[in-house]
Amino acid sequence: MKLFLAEDDAVLADALLTSLSRLGFETEHAASGLTAEPRLLGADFDAVILDIGLPGQSGLELLRKVRAGKPTLPILILTALDGLEDRVAGLDAGADDYLTKPFEFVELEARLRALLRRSKAHGEARGEARFGSLRLDRAGQRAWAQDVPLDLSARELAVLDVLLSNADRVVTKEQIAAELGGDELGANAIEVYVHRLRKKIEPAGVGVRAVRGLGYLLEARQD
Ligand code: CA
């Protein structure tokens, strides 16, 4: 899970980044609205924590732009305790939730997890599957890496689908063969499809690990 934090209070940002990474989140941070914008519009994050009182450009302005470009990205805004107008404006501008400062980290964590759960459920309802920067639209039979369309054959798409559907476990060649609609497909053919798919998704930071004797596993690659 990759999170983006836009917060200009260095002490608070440090504390949040430390606690979030302790929970296993990958994080990226910007201290101004201007530096946050290109990252938020250019890269793929699973959720955003956005301080409304940012220098450079206000969090609200940034929120409007990000929401226009990324309609489904979960965004939690942080506002001052007395910032009722900011909260209302933020929710109107498309924030999914808010927290007022000061807050306890456990509350941020709980809200973040709730947002991520809702986002996953909505994605699934739309027939979407995600892993890292990969996105698959099952109904439309299309896939993207970092919002760039992937050029995949129907069989490569089917392999990607079965791997995404089992993103946290090993998928056997038999499972992949069944998904591709044929017992007649041999293990060698499966290896070829996996190999082609791997070459196309690796540049997006997602690998397909071969687990000897068992099958394949999607994995996020560190670079
Ligand atoms: Ca601030």
Side-chain angles (χ1 to χ4, degrees), residues 91-172:
L91 292 172
D92 279 347
D96 297 286
D97 200 358
Y98 69 85
L99 264 181
T100 57
K101 295 179 184 179
F103 53 83
E104 297 290 331
F105 183 74
V106 287
E107 182 167 14
L108 175 70
E109 184 194 350
R111 292 192 183 225
L112 211 48
R113 292 208 189 279
L115 272 188
L116 291 168
R117 269 198 308 275
R118 284 211 297 273
S119 159
K120 185 162 179 259
H122 287 163
E124 281 163 3
R126 286 193 304 271
E128 262 187 32
R130 282 173 170 272
F131 185 87
S133 68
L134 285 185
R135 182 158 54 94
L136 169 72
D137 166 14
R138 292 197 169 95
Q141 285 292 289
R142 289 171 305 172
W144 296 261
Q146 289 158 340
D147 285 335
V148 177
L150 285 168
D151 182 20
L152 300 181
S153 70
R155 286 199 154 159
E156 288 160 5
L157 264 172
V159 173
L160 179 61
D161 193 350
V162 65
L163 287 171
L164 280 169
S165 305
N166 300 277
D168 47 357
R169 41 188 185 264
V170 174
V171 178
T172 63

Side-chain angles (χ1 to χ4, degrees), residues 7-9 51-55 101:
E7 170 60 68
D8 60 311
D9 179 333
D51 178 29
I52 288 299
L54 281 179
K101 295 179 184 179

Side-chain angles (χ1 to χ4, degrees), residues 1-3 18-27 113:
M1 286 281 160
K2 214 165 141 197
L3 303 181
T18 305
S19 303
L20 289 167
S21 77
R22 212 169 275 156
L23 291 176
F25 290 110
E26 217 182 299
T27 53
R113 292 208 189 279

Side-chain angles (χ1 to χ4, degrees), residues 38-126:
R39 291 300 298 152
L40 274 174
L41 291 174
D44 272 307
F45 295 96
D46 294 295
V48 180
I49 303 165
L50 173 62
D51 178 29
I52 288 299
L54 281 179
Q57 95 179 300
S58 83
L60 268 181
E61 220 176 309
L62 179 59
L63 172 60
R64 287 192 192 101
K65 290 181 192 167
V66 173
R67 185 47 86 221
K70 308 240 168 181
T72 61
L73 176 64
I75 303 175
L76 174 82
I77 55 171
L78 305 178
T79 70
L81 188 58
D82 57 359
L84 175 65
E85 281 174 25
D86 281 346
R87 289 200 284 285
V88 173
L91 292 172
D92 279 347
D96 297 286
D97 200 358
Y98 69 85
L99 264 181
T100 57
K101 295 179 184 179
F103 53 83
E104 297 290 331
F105 183 74
V106 287
E107 182 167 14
L108 175 70
E109 184 194 350
R111 292 192 183 225
L112 211 48
R113 292 208 189 279
L115 272 188
L116 291 168
R117 269 198 308 275
R118 284 211 297 273
S119 159
K120 185 162 179 259
H122 287 163
E124 281 163 3
R126 286 193 304 271

